[in-house]
Amino acid sequence: YSASAVLSATFGLHCRTGQEPELKALHANLEKLVHLGTPNASILNVFPFLDWIPGPMPWRTAAQSYRKKDNALYSKLINYALTGEASGMNT
């Protein structure tokens, strides 16, 4: 219920069943964020100086992949809010 209230207040998206694709995508993104933030998710969390190594490192590609998906999801939600599509109010 709380996720529906936040999405409704923020983006005008009403989650009546809890099975909406946007809500599922948001939950998946948050799960990935929590996973990326745990100390054992990457050696970078233990040795931050390793981020200075140039090139495509596993932690860097995982973070870039997460960021790309996160940006796409929030862009979609912001578009819903701006167009009024989610609430049925086409402004």
Side-chain angles (χ1 to χ4, degrees):
Y1 176 78
S2 59
S4 177
V6 170
L7 285 174
S8 179
T10 309
F11 301 109
L13 182 66
H14 301 283
C15 298
R16 290 166 175 64
T17 66
Q19 300 300 317
E20 288 76 13
E22 293 84 6
L23 184 59
K24 286 184 176 184
L26 188 62
H27 280 184
N29 265 14
L30 290 175
E31 283 181 29
K32 184 68 174 175
L33 178 64
V34 168
H35 173 70
L36 288 173
T38 58
N40 63 350
S42 168
I43 195 168
L44 187 66
N45 293 343
V46 180
F47 302 111
F49 64 87
L50 291 175
D51 197 31
W52 293 7
I53 299 171
M57 297 297 170
W59 58 82
R60 196 171 291 135
T61 55
Q64 288 169 343
S65 170
Y66 170 78
R67 184 177 181 183
K68 189 175 184 179
K69 289 177 184 176
D70 193 55
N71 284 347
L73 173 65
Y74 281 102
S75 294
K76 182 178 177 182
L77 291 173
I78 289 170
N79 188 37
Y80 278 159
L82 292 176
T83 62
E85 183 179 333
S87 64
M89 297 173 35
N90 294 328
T91 57

XYZ file of all heavy atoms in Angstrom:
703
model
N 0.813 -1.197 0.000
C 0.000 0.000 0.000
C 0.856 1.261 0.000
O 0.526 2.230 -0.640
C -0.953 -0.013 1.196
C -1.768 1.235 1.312
C -2.868 1.428 0.485
C -1.446 2.214 2.215
C -3.625 2.583 0.577
C -2.188 3.360 2.323
C -3.284 3.535 1.499
O -4.028 4.675 1.582
N 1.964 1.242 0.745
C 2.793 2.446 0.847
C 3.434 2.796 -0.495
O 3.548 3.968 -0.840
C 3.851 2.288 1.924
O 4.678 1.186 1.634
N 3.859 1.778 -1.248
C 4.444 2.052 -2.566
C 3.407 2.686 -3.483
O 3.717 3.602 -4.241
C 4.980 0.769 -3.185
N 2.173 2.215 -3.407
C 1.112 2.792 -4.220
C 0.863 4.248 -3.833
O 0.667 5.099 -4.700
C -0.175 1.979 -4.049
O -1.223 2.572 -4.770
N 0.895 4.535 -2.542
C 0.666 5.910 -2.089
C 1.786 6.834 -2.569
O 1.522 7.950 -3.024
C 0.564 5.942 -0.568
N 3.027 6.369 -2.498
C 4.153 7.192 -2.944
C 4.104 7.399 -4.456
O 4.289 8.515 -4.945
C 5.496 6.561 -2.514
C 6.669 7.265 -3.172
C 5.628 6.585 -1.006
N 3.858 6.332 -5.216
C 3.779 6.466 -6.671
C 2.605 7.350 -7.081
O 2.708 8.117 -8.037
C 3.652 5.091 -7.329
C 4.928 4.269 -7.368
C 4.640 2.869 -7.905
C 5.985 4.939 -8.207
N 1.518 7.251 -6.359
C 0.359 8.081 -6.668
C 0.653 9.557 -6.392
O 0.339 10.415 -7.211
C -0.833 7.610 -5.843
O -1.950 8.405 -6.106
N 1.249 9.841 -5.247
C 1.540 11.234 -4.885
C 2.643 11.827 -5.752
O 2.607 13.008 -6.093
C 1.941 11.307 -3.410
N 3.626 11.011 -6.110
C 4.783 11.531 -6.839
C 4.562 11.590 -8.339
O 4.883 12.593 -8.974
C 6.019 10.662 -6.554
O 6.159 10.507 -5.147
C 7.262 11.292 -7.117
N 4.030 10.506 -8.895
C 3.936 10.397 -10.353
C 2.503 10.311 -10.879
O 2.307 10.240 -12.082
C 4.715 9.161 -10.839
C 6.167 9.184 -10.479
C 6.670 8.330 -9.525
C 7.033 10.069 -11.094
C 8.003 8.350 -9.186
C 8.374 10.096 -10.771
C 8.860 9.239 -9.801
N 1.517 10.247 -9.995
C 0.133 10.125 -10.427
C -0.204 8.731 -10.911
O -1.183 8.524 -11.619
N 0.589 7.751 -10.517
C 0.398 6.369 -10.957
C -0.289 5.587 -9.849
O 0.264 5.410 -8.767
C 1.752 5.735 -11.292
C 1.734 4.309 -11.810
C 1.051 4.258 -13.174
C 3.142 3.779 -11.925
N -1.486 5.122 -10.110
C -2.250 4.375 -9.113
C -2.010 2.878 -9.302
O -2.193 2.350 -10.385
C -3.743 4.678 -9.244
C -4.041 6.132 -9.065
N -4.055 6.734 -7.832
C -4.317 7.111 -9.965
C -4.327 8.017 -7.974
N -4.487 8.277 -9.273
N -1.583 2.228 -8.240
C -1.312 0.785 -8.265
C -2.443 0.084 -7.517
O -2.374 -0.106 -6.312
C 0.031 0.483 -7.630
S 1.398 1.246 -8.479
N -3.458 -0.301 -8.242
C -4.631 -0.892 -7.617
C -4.413 -2.344 -7.191
O -4.916 -2.785 -6.178
C -5.816 -0.801 -8.562
C -6.317 0.627 -8.736
C -7.261 0.750 -9.933
N -7.880 2.035 -10.103
C -7.280 3.170 -10.374
N -5.972 3.214 -10.432
N -7.938 4.284 -10.542
N -3.651 -3.100 -7.969
C -3.503 -4.531 -7.685
C -2.155 -4.889 -7.073
O -2.025 -5.950 -6.482
C -3.656 -5.357 -8.975
O -2.577 -5.052 -9.852
C -4.978 -5.072 -9.660
N -1.164 -4.043 -7.231
C 0.181 -4.368 -6.780
C 0.947 -5.203 -7.794
O 2.071 -5.600 -7.550
N 0.338 -5.483 -8.934
C 0.970 -6.285 -9.982
C 1.295 -5.458 -11.225
O 1.601 -6.020 -12.267
C 0.048 -7.455 -10.374
C -0.266 -8.398 -9.236
C 0.977 -9.034 -8.649
O 1.867 -9.461 -9.382
N 1.064 -9.078 -7.340
N 1.221 -4.150 -11.113
C 1.499 -3.281 -12.248
C 2.963 -3.406 -12.659
O 3.848 -3.550 -11.803
C 1.189 -1.821 -11.890
C -0.280 -1.523 -11.774
C -0.925 -2.034 -10.490
O -0.217 -2.405 -9.566
O -2.150 -2.061 -10.443
N 3.246 -3.354 -13.958
C 4.637 -3.518 -14.421
C 5.584 -2.453 -13.877
O 6.744 -2.743 -13.598
C 4.537 -3.446 -15.938
C 3.128 -3.198 -16.283
C 2.308 -3.222 -15.051
N 5.107 -1.241 -13.726
C 5.960 -0.180 -13.203
C 6.351 -0.458 -11.760
O 7.490 -0.239 -11.358
C 5.257 1.187 -13.300
C 5.040 1.676 -14.700
C 3.782 1.110 -15.346
O 3.011 0.410 -14.658
O 3.590 1.357 -16.542
N 5.405 -0.946 -10.966
C 5.686 -1.264 -9.571
C 6.655 -2.435 -9.466
O 7.592 -2.415 -8.658
C 4.383 -1.582 -8.832
C 4.497 -1.833 -7.332
C 5.079 -0.623 -6.627
C 3.150 -2.185 -6.757
N 6.466 -3.435 -10.321
C 7.394 -4.570 -10.332
C 8.794 -4.130 -10.736
O 9.787 -4.579 -10.161
C 6.884 -5.662 -11.267
C 5.705 -6.426 -10.713
C 5.321 -7.552 -11.647
C 4.202 -8.374 -11.050
N 3.886 -9.528 -11.896
N 8.880 -3.246 -11.728
C 10.182 -2.738 -12.168
C 10.846 -1.922 -11.061
O 12.056 -2.021 -10.851
C 10.020 -1.895 -13.427
N 10.055 -1.145 -10.346
C 10.592 -0.359 -9.244
C 11.127 -1.264 -8.140
O 12.221 -1.042 -7.617
C 9.510 0.576 -8.704
C 9.941 1.598 -7.688
C 10.967 2.536 -8.278
C 8.749 2.386 -7.192
N 10.383 -2.311 -7.806
C 10.849 -3.267 -6.793
C 12.128 -3.959 -7.251
O 13.060 -4.140 -6.450
C 9.768 -4.299 -6.501
C 8.712 -3.789 -5.577
N 7.689 -4.579 -5.124
C 8.497 -2.578 -5.017
C 6.899 -3.883 -4.340
N 7.381 -2.659 -4.266
N 12.193 -4.346 -8.516
C 13.398 -5.006 -9.042
C 14.600 -4.066 -8.980
O 15.710 -4.491 -8.617
C 13.158 -5.474 -10.473
N 14.385 -2.787 -9.317
C 15.478 -1.811 -9.247
C 15.965 -1.625 -7.814
O 17.160 -1.536 -7.569
C 15.031 -0.468 -9.814
C 15.400 -0.308 -11.255
O 15.759 -1.255 -11.923
N 15.302 0.911 -11.740
N 15.039 -1.570 -6.881
C 15.431 -1.392 -5.489
C 16.172 -2.615 -4.957
O 17.138 -2.482 -4.198
C 14.207 -1.087 -4.627
C 13.584 0.287 -4.860
C 12.301 0.435 -4.054
C 14.557 1.391 -4.528
N 15.741 -3.805 -5.361
C 16.460 -5.019 -4.963
C 17.890 -4.998 -5.489
O 18.830 -5.365 -4.787
C 15.738 -6.258 -5.479
C 14.514 -6.635 -4.687
C 13.843 -7.882 -5.229
O 14.530 -8.749 -5.807
O 12.621 -7.982 -5.068
N 18.057 -4.586 -6.739
C 19.392 -4.514 -7.338
C 20.248 -3.471 -6.633
O 21.442 -3.693 -6.381
C 19.273 -4.199 -8.832
C 20.577 -4.194 -9.566
C 21.188 -5.569 -9.656
C 22.419 -5.553 -10.516
N 23.101 -6.824 -10.528
N 19.651 -2.334 -6.274
C 20.376 -1.285 -5.558
C 20.858 -1.789 -4.205
O 22.006 -1.567 -3.817
C 19.501 -0.047 -5.382
C 20.128 1.108 -4.610
C 21.333 1.652 -5.352
C 19.103 2.198 -4.379
N 19.995 -2.494 -3.491
C 20.388 -3.048 -2.194
C 21.514 -4.061 -2.379
O 22.490 -4.067 -1.625
C 19.171 -3.684 -1.486
C 19.597 -4.509 -0.295
C 18.188 -2.597 -1.069
N 21.400 -4.890 -3.408
C 22.451 -5.872 -3.671
C 23.780 -5.194 -3.994
O 24.832 -5.588 -3.492
C 22.056 -6.804 -4.814
C 23.156 -7.717 -5.245
N 23.601 -8.759 -4.467
C 23.944 -7.712 -6.344
C 24.611 -9.363 -5.089
N 24.827 -8.742 -6.226
N 23.744 -4.161 -4.836
C 24.978 -3.460 -5.207
C 25.610 -2.749 -4.021
O 26.818 -2.532 -3.994
C 24.713 -2.454 -6.328
C 24.443 -3.033 -7.708
C 24.033 -1.930 -8.674
C 25.642 -3.790 -8.237
N 24.806 -2.387 -3.042
C 25.310 -1.655 -1.889
C 25.826 -2.522 -0.758
O 26.423 -2.012 0.187
N 25.614 -3.820 -0.820
C 26.102 -4.690 0.250
C 27.622 -4.827 0.163
O 28.194 -4.789 -0.930
C 25.455 -6.087 0.188
O 25.730 -6.669 -1.080
C 23.961 -6.015 0.424
N 28.278 -4.995 1.293
C 29.739 -5.078 1.280
C 30.299 -6.227 0.440
O 31.378 -6.106 -0.119
C 30.093 -5.273 2.754
C 28.953 -4.701 3.496
C 27.746 -4.956 2.638
N 29.591 -7.332 0.343
C 30.129 -8.461 -0.415
C 29.678 -8.484 -1.871
O 29.944 -9.442 -2.580
C 29.764 -9.779 0.260
C 28.267 -10.003 0.303
O 27.498 -9.110 0.005
N 27.868 -11.187 0.701
N 29.038 -7.439 -2.346
C 28.569 -7.404 -3.731
C 29.720 -7.232 -4.712
O 29.674 -7.716 -5.831
C 27.555 -6.295 -3.933
N 30.744 -6.531 -4.277
C 31.866 -6.243 -5.164
C 33.113 -6.035 -4.330
O 33.056 -5.541 -3.204
C 31.567 -4.987 -5.981
O 32.725 -4.533 -6.634
N 34.230 -6.381 -4.894
C 35.501 -6.145 -4.216
C 35.754 -4.648 -4.066
O 36.483 -4.211 -3.182
C 36.656 -6.842 -4.964
C 37.894 -6.900 -4.083
C 36.925 -6.159 -6.301
C 38.985 -7.797 -4.612
N 35.105 -3.861 -4.892
C 35.252 -2.409 -4.841
C 34.729 -1.846 -3.525
O 35.228 -0.828 -3.046
C 34.514 -1.769 -6.017
C 34.701 -0.281 -6.210
C 36.145 0.005 -6.580
C 33.788 0.227 -7.276
N 33.740 -2.494 -2.927
C 33.212 -2.027 -1.645
C 34.230 -2.188 -0.520
O 34.163 -1.492 0.480
C 31.930 -2.761 -1.300
C 30.807 -2.427 -2.248
O 30.871 -1.441 -2.963
N 29.772 -3.245 -2.269
N 35.165 -3.108 -0.690
C 36.208 -3.338 0.313
C 37.473 -2.552 -0.024
O 38.131 -2.005 0.860
C 36.520 -4.844 0.420
C 37.604 -5.100 1.444
C 35.262 -5.635 0.771
N 37.798 -2.490 -1.308
C 39.002 -1.795 -1.776
C 38.622 -0.712 -2.794
O 38.748 -0.900 -4.003
C 39.981 -2.780 -2.428
C 40.405 -3.904 -1.533
C 39.986 -5.193 -1.787
C 41.216 -3.660 -0.442
C 40.377 -6.238 -0.960
C 41.614 -4.698 0.391
C 41.193 -5.993 0.139
N 38.164 0.446 -2.329
C 37.682 1.478 -3.252
C 38.740 2.004 -4.222
O 38.399 2.506 -5.286
C 37.184 2.596 -2.348
C 37.472 2.200 -0.969
C 38.028 0.831 -0.949
N 40.015 1.887 -3.887
C 41.072 2.385 -4.775
C 41.109 1.615 -6.098
O 41.665 2.094 -7.078
C 42.440 2.321 -4.085
C 42.891 0.932 -3.760
C 43.582 0.188 -4.686
C 42.614 0.378 -2.523
C 44.003 -1.101 -4.383
C 43.021 -0.900 -2.203
C 43.713 -1.648 -3.141
N 40.488 0.436 -6.146
C 40.471 -0.342 -7.387
C 39.666 0.341 -8.492
O 39.808 0.003 -9.659
C 39.911 -1.745 -7.143
C 40.784 -2.672 -6.305
C 40.053 -3.981 -6.042
C 42.113 -2.918 -6.985
N 38.827 1.296 -8.108
C 38.025 2.012 -9.109
C 38.906 2.887 -10.001
O 38.470 3.347 -11.036
C 36.954 2.853 -8.434
C 35.871 3.277 -9.397
O 35.592 2.506 -10.349
O 35.295 4.359 -9.216
N 40.139 3.108 -9.615
C 41.055 3.914 -10.426
C 41.604 3.127 -11.603
O 42.213 3.703 -12.506
C 42.191 4.440 -9.587
C 41.766 5.446 -8.556
C 40.484 5.802 -8.228
C 42.604 6.203 -7.715
N 40.480 6.732 -7.234
C 41.780 6.996 -6.890
C 43.961 6.283 -7.551
C 42.284 7.871 -5.945
C 44.466 7.160 -6.596
C 43.633 7.945 -5.816
N 41.407 1.823 -11.617
C 41.881 0.996 -12.719
C 41.026 1.295 -13.950
O 39.805 1.179 -13.892
C 41.803 -0.505 -12.376
C 42.683 -0.812 -11.169
C 42.200 -1.357 -13.573
C 42.508 -2.216 -10.640
N 41.641 1.684 -15.064
C 40.843 1.992 -16.254
C 40.320 0.730 -16.929
O 40.817 -0.368 -16.709
C 41.837 2.724 -17.155
C 43.168 2.255 -16.719
C 43.062 1.921 -15.256
N 39.307 0.934 -17.735
C 38.769 -0.179 -18.517
C 37.476 -0.724 -17.953
O 37.008 -0.306 -16.900
N 36.894 -1.672 -18.675
C 35.607 -2.240 -18.256
C 35.791 -3.300 -17.156
O 36.095 -4.448 -17.432
C 35.061 -2.862 -19.532
C 36.274 -3.190 -20.337
C 37.311 -2.169 -19.983
N 35.624 -2.885 -15.928
C 35.709 -3.798 -14.791
C 34.314 -4.304 -14.455
O 33.320 -3.628 -14.730
C 36.317 -3.087 -13.580
C 37.718 -2.627 -13.803
S 38.767 -4.068 -14.085
C 40.258 -3.307 -14.616
N 34.201 -5.479 -13.850
C 32.870 -6.056 -13.570
C 31.975 -5.148 -12.734
O 30.775 -5.040 -13.002
C 33.189 -7.347 -12.823
C 34.595 -7.669 -13.144
C 35.277 -6.382 -13.457
N 32.545 -4.488 -11.721
C 31.726 -3.623 -10.887
C 31.268 -2.392 -11.649
O 30.176 -1.892 -11.434
C 32.483 -3.217 -9.622
C 33.775 -2.518 -9.880
C 33.954 -1.194 -10.172
C 35.064 -3.111 -9.906
N 35.285 -0.925 -10.377
C 36.000 -2.079 -10.209
C 35.541 -4.391 -9.701
C 37.364 -2.301 -10.306
C 36.900 -4.607 -9.794
C 37.799 -3.581 -10.093
N 32.089 -1.931 -12.554
C 31.734 -0.749 -13.329
C 30.615 -1.069 -14.324
O 29.666 -0.295 -14.468
C 32.978 -0.236 -14.062
C 32.821 1.165 -14.573
C 34.137 1.724 -15.094
N 35.066 1.938 -13.982
C 36.346 1.578 -14.005
N 36.870 1.007 -15.067
N 37.131 1.809 -12.965
N 30.713 -2.207 -14.989
C 29.667 -2.576 -15.953
C 28.355 -2.874 -15.234
O 27.285 -2.542 -15.743
C 30.098 -3.777 -16.810
O 30.472 -4.856 -15.956
C 31.244 -3.422 -17.722
N 28.420 -3.469 -14.027
C 27.194 -3.723 -13.257
C 26.543 -2.408 -12.848
O 25.316 -2.252 -12.942
C 27.502 -4.570 -12.030
N 27.343 -1.447 -12.406
C 26.805 -0.149 -11.998
C 26.230 0.614 -13.190
O 25.175 1.249 -13.093
C 27.889 0.675 -11.314
N 26.918 0.545 -14.340
C 26.417 1.232 -15.529
C 25.119 0.608 -16.017
O 24.203 1.316 -16.443
C 27.471 1.206 -16.621
C 28.645 2.116 -16.340
C 29.807 1.898 -17.295
O 29.894 0.884 -17.978
N 30.731 2.853 -17.321
N 25.026 -0.701 -15.936
C 23.797 -1.394 -16.329
C 22.646 -0.990 -15.410
O 21.537 -0.709 -15.866
C 24.019 -2.901 -16.285
O 22.813 -3.585 -16.433
N 22.915 -0.954 -14.101
C 21.886 -0.539 -13.141
C 21.450 0.894 -13.420
O 20.262 1.195 -13.446
C 22.399 -0.651 -11.704
C 21.449 -0.011 -10.740
C 20.286 -0.660 -10.357
C 21.673 1.270 -10.251
C 19.384 -0.058 -9.507
C 20.786 1.882 -9.406
C 19.642 1.216 -9.026
O 18.743 1.823 -8.199
N 22.417 1.772 -13.628
C 22.094 3.181 -13.867
C 21.239 3.361 -15.121
O 20.294 4.151 -15.143
C 23.376 3.993 -13.986
C 23.117 5.462 -14.142
C 24.395 6.240 -14.171
N 24.102 7.661 -14.296
C 25.024 8.576 -14.404
N 26.287 8.253 -14.365
N 24.690 9.833 -14.532
N 21.559 2.614 -16.165
C 20.799 2.714 -17.419
C 19.347 2.282 -17.206
O 18.415 2.962 -17.637
C 21.467 1.834 -18.474
C 20.930 1.984 -19.855
C 21.755 1.155 -20.827
C 21.311 1.363 -22.234
N 22.106 0.596 -23.189
N 19.139 1.159 -16.504
C 17.779 0.684 -16.233
C 17.033 1.635 -15.312
O 15.847 1.903 -15.500
C 17.821 -0.715 -15.611
C 18.242 -1.775 -16.586
C 18.331 -3.131 -15.916
C 18.852 -4.170 -16.880
N 19.032 -5.474 -16.234
N 17.736 2.149 -14.299
C 17.121 3.068 -13.348
C 16.698 4.363 -14.042
O 15.587 4.853 -13.833
C 18.110 3.364 -12.223
C 17.475 4.056 -11.044
O 16.486 3.516 -10.513
O 17.974 5.131 -10.653
N 17.568 4.907 -14.876
C 17.232 6.123 -15.618
C 16.046 5.910 -16.542
O 15.175 6.776 -16.657
C 18.432 6.618 -16.420
C 19.464 7.298 -15.555
O 19.209 7.632 -14.398
N 20.647 7.487 -16.105
N 15.994 4.756 -17.204
C 14.878 4.471 -18.107
C 13.562 4.380 -17.331
O 12.538 4.922 -17.764
C 15.129 3.179 -18.866
N 13.591 3.719 -16.184
C 12.372 3.588 -15.381
C 11.884 4.937 -14.892
O 10.713 5.277 -15.044
C 12.618 2.654 -14.185
C 11.469 2.570 -13.179
C 10.234 1.951 -13.836
C 11.880 1.787 -11.964
N 12.784 5.735 -14.312
C 12.349 7.030 -13.788
C 11.989 8.010 -14.895
O 11.104 8.849 -14.708
C 13.385 7.596 -12.823
C 13.272 6.936 -11.465
C 14.164 5.952 -11.080
C 12.232 7.255 -10.604
C 14.038 5.322 -9.857
C 12.098 6.638 -9.387
C 13.004 5.673 -9.011
O 12.874 5.046 -7.803
N 12.616 7.910 -16.042
C 12.208 8.744 -17.173
C 10.787 8.412 -17.595
O 9.987 9.302 -17.897
C 13.158 8.556 -18.352
O 14.426 9.043 -18.045
N 10.466 7.119 -17.600
C 9.121 6.683 -17.944
C 8.108 7.199 -16.912
O 7.040 7.710 -17.280
C 9.088 5.158 -18.001
C 7.777 4.557 -18.383
C 7.906 3.035 -18.449
C 6.594 2.373 -18.763
N 6.714 0.907 -18.785
N 8.446 7.088 -15.626
C 7.538 7.567 -14.586
C 7.361 9.079 -14.639
O 6.251 9.589 -14.470
C 8.045 7.129 -13.209
C 7.977 5.641 -12.916
C 8.667 5.317 -11.596
C 6.543 5.143 -12.904
N 8.437 9.802 -14.896
C 8.340 11.258 -15.001
C 7.503 11.642 -16.216
O 6.693 12.569 -16.160
C 9.738 11.899 -15.046
C 10.396 11.785 -13.669
C 9.675 13.351 -15.500
C 11.849 12.163 -13.643
N 7.657 10.900 -17.315
C 6.845 11.150 -18.497
C 5.365 10.928 -18.197
O 4.508 11.692 -18.633
C 7.301 10.268 -19.653
C 6.631 10.631 -20.943
O 6.401 11.811 -21.219
N 6.301 9.632 -21.741
N 5.065 9.866 -17.440
C 3.678 9.626 -17.020
C 3.141 10.820 -16.238
O 2.013 11.256 -16.437
C 3.577 8.397 -16.125
C 3.526 7.073 -16.833
C 3.859 5.909 -16.153
C 3.124 6.947 -18.141
C 3.813 4.671 -16.768
C 3.079 5.725 -18.772
C 3.419 4.589 -18.083
O 3.368 3.381 -18.696
N 3.956 11.327 -15.320
C 3.513 12.448 -14.488
C 3.309 13.715 -15.312
O 2.326 14.433 -15.111
C 4.527 12.703 -13.379
N 4.220 13.987 -16.227
C 4.128 15.223 -17.013
C 2.978 15.197 -18.011
O 2.349 16.230 -18.257
C 5.450 15.484 -17.737
C 6.638 15.833 -16.850
C 7.894 15.977 -17.683
C 6.363 17.106 -16.078
N 2.712 14.033 -18.590
C 1.640 13.959 -19.573
C 0.274 13.719 -18.935
O -0.734 13.919 -19.592
C 1.906 12.836 -20.587
O 1.952 11.592 -19.888
C 3.193 13.069 -21.338
N 0.274 13.299 -17.661
C -1.000 12.988 -17.006
C -1.560 11.659 -17.461
O -2.700 11.320 -17.155
N -0.775 10.880 -18.170
C -1.220 9.599 -18.709
C -1.592 8.598 -17.619
O -2.580 7.887 -17.725
C -0.106 9.017 -19.578
C -0.449 7.734 -20.264
C 0.708 7.257 -21.125
O 1.498 8.081 -21.586
O 0.805 6.047 -21.315
N -0.828 8.582 -16.540
C -1.056 7.602 -15.475
C -2.350 7.872 -14.731
O -3.074 6.952 -14.355
C 0.110 7.606 -14.502
N -2.677 9.130 -14.530
C -3.879 9.473 -13.759
C -5.097 9.656 -14.637
O -6.193 9.857 -14.130
C -3.623 10.746 -12.958
O -3.411 11.822 -13.839
N -4.911 9.605 -15.930
C -6.044 9.815 -16.823
C -6.311 11.275 -17.122
O -7.279 11.622 -17.776
N -5.460 12.133 -16.613
C -5.611 13.576 -16.835
C -4.584 14.020 -17.849
O -3.434 14.260 -17.524
C -5.396 14.352 -15.528
C -6.400 14.033 -14.470
S -6.028 14.811 -12.873
C -5.322 16.349 -13.302
N -4.943 14.069 -19.100
C -4.015 14.487 -20.147
C -3.894 16.005 -20.126
O -4.721 16.708 -20.672
C -4.486 13.993 -21.512
C -4.445 12.509 -21.606
O -3.592 11.878 -20.997
N -5.383 11.926 -22.323
N -2.822 16.491 -19.493
C -2.644 17.932 -19.359
C -1.820 18.484 -20.484
O -1.076 17.837 -21.117
C -1.945 18.277 -18.024
O -0.715 17.587 -17.963
C -2.837 17.910 -16.864
